[in-house]
Amino acid sequence: MELSTLQIIGVFLVGCISGMGSILDEFQTHRPLIACTMMGVVLGEPTTGIMLGGALEMIALGWMNIGAAVAPDAALASIISAILVIAGKQDMNVAIGLAIPLAAAGQVLTIIVRAITVGFQHAADNAVKTGNLSSITWLHLGALLLQAMRIAIPALIVALTIGTDAVKNMLDSIPEVVTGGLGVAGGMIVVVGYAMVINMMRAPHLMMFFFVGFVVAAFTSFNLVALGILGIAMAFFYIQLHPKYYKGFAGASSAAQGKNKLDNQLD
C-alpha cells in the first residue's frame, strides 16, 4: 500500500504527538491504544488501529518510567507496528511479536535523547541566572521537539519505504516458520502482559471473577460489550453484598444484632 502525501504528513504528525506524549505523560498519547488509533485514522483503517492498540495495550500496561529507570518505549512500538499492519498488510500477530524489539529500540533512543537534553537543561540554568525568560521557553520547546523527532523520523522512514517493491519483497520473503513463530509469540506476550498486571494487583480474592469471565468468554458467543456489561454488573453486586465495601450493610447487621440482644434482655 503506497501512502499519499497527506497520509505521510499525518504519519509524521502522529509520530510527533506520540513522541511528545511519551515525555509529557499528560494526555497519554504515547499509549498503544491512542497511538495506534490515531495512526489507523490517518491510514484509513481506524478499526484495525483500535484492535492493534488494544492488543498492544495489554502488553504495555505495566510499562512506565519510575525515577531514572526508563521503560520500554510503547510509542515507537505502537506507531511502527500500526504502519506494518495497515500499510504493509502484515499479520497483526506478527506486528505484536515485533513490538517488544521495537520497544527496546525505542528505549535506547529515549536514553540517547535524554542524554542530549542534559545540555538544554544546563543552558536553561544559565538563562535563569541572566533572567532570559524567552530563551528558557525556546530551550524547553527545543528539548520537546527532540522527543517528537525520536518517534516521527523512524515512523517517516518506515512510511516512505513501506510501499516500495524492495520492502514489499523483503516482507514477503520472510519464511512462514518465522512469521508463524512471531504469531505464537505475539499471542503469548499479550497473555503474559495481562498476567503481570494481575500479579501486581495481588487480589487473590477476586480471582474467582477472572475464572468466571474466562469460562463465559470461552463457552459463549458474547461480544466485548456484553462481557463488559456483565463484568460491571458482577462488580456492582460484589460491592453491594460485601461488608468490607458496603458499610451500610454491615451497620444494618450490627444494629439488627443489637436489637435482638436488647429484646432478649427485656424478655
Side-chain angles (χ1 to χ4, degrees), residues 7-265:
Q7 287 178 320
I8 291 175
I9 294 174
V11 168
F12 181 79
L13 293 177
V14 170
C16 289
I17 294 172
S18 298
M20 291 186 291
S22 63
I23 197 67
L24 293 175
D25 283 335
E26 183 176 2
F27 302 105
Q28 299 294 302
T29 55
H30 66 293
R31 300 302 303 179
L33 186 58
I34 298 178
C36 290
T37 300
M38 290 191 298
M39 190 58 68
V41 172
V42 167
L43 298 180
E45 295 186 23
T47 303
T48 304
I50 293 172
M51 293 175 62
L52 176 62
L56 293 179
E57 190 68 48
M58 301 306 298
I59 304 172
L61 277 175
W63 291 357
M64 61 186 70
N65 298 326
I66 302 176
V70 179
D73 187 32
L76 184 65
S78 303
I79 296 298
I80 302 301
S81 296
I83 297 174
L84 290 176
V85 170
I86 299 175
K89 302 301 180 183
Q90 295 299 302
D91 187 80
M92 191 175 298
N93 288 329
V94 174
I96 294 173
L98 292 173
I100 298 298
L102 287 171
Q107 184 181 28
V108 174
L109 289 176
T110 302
I111 295 173
I112 293 173
V113 172
R114 290 192 179 197
I116 295 173
T117 54
V118 171
F120 286 74
Q121 295 169 11
H122 291 311
D125 291 337
N126 294 330
V128 169
K129 296 177 182 178
T130 59
N132 191 348
L133 298 181
S134 61
S135 177
I136 297 173
T137 300
W138 285 110
L139 285 169
H140 278 82
L141 292 176
L144 187 61
L145 182 62
L146 285 179
Q147 293 290 346
M149 293 300 102
R150 175 179 59 85
I151 303 298
I153 291 177
L156 189 61
I157 293 173
V158 174
L160 289 173
T161 58
I162 197 68
T164 61
D165 292 336
V167 175
K168 185 177 183 301
N169 293 333
M170 181 187 70
L171 293 174
D172 292 339
S173 63
I174 298 176
E176 185 177 352
V177 63
V178 176
T179 57
L182 287 173
V184 174
M188 292 179 62
I189 289 171
V190 175
V191 176
V192 172
Y194 192 56
M196 291 173 64
V197 175
I198 294 175
N199 186 49
M200 285 188 295
M201 291 171 59
R202 296 191 181 278
H205 59 285
L206 298 178
M207 288 303 295
M208 57 180 178
F209 293 106
F210 174 78
F211 292 118
V212 169
F214 179 82
V215 171
V216 172
F219 293 96
T220 65
S221 58
F222 292 166
N223 57 24
L224 291 178
V225 176
L227 291 173
I229 294 174
L230 184 61
I232 293 173
M234 292 177 68
F236 178 80
F237 289 138
Y238 180 79
I239 293 173
Q240 287 292 314
L241 297 176
H242 201 296
K244 178 180 178 182
Y245 301 101
Y246 185 50
K247 295 180 180 179
F249 178 81
S253 299
S254 300
Q257 292 176 2
K259 184 177 181 301
N260 291 334
K261 289 181 179 179
L262 182 60
D263 291 340
N264 292 334
Q265 291 176 358

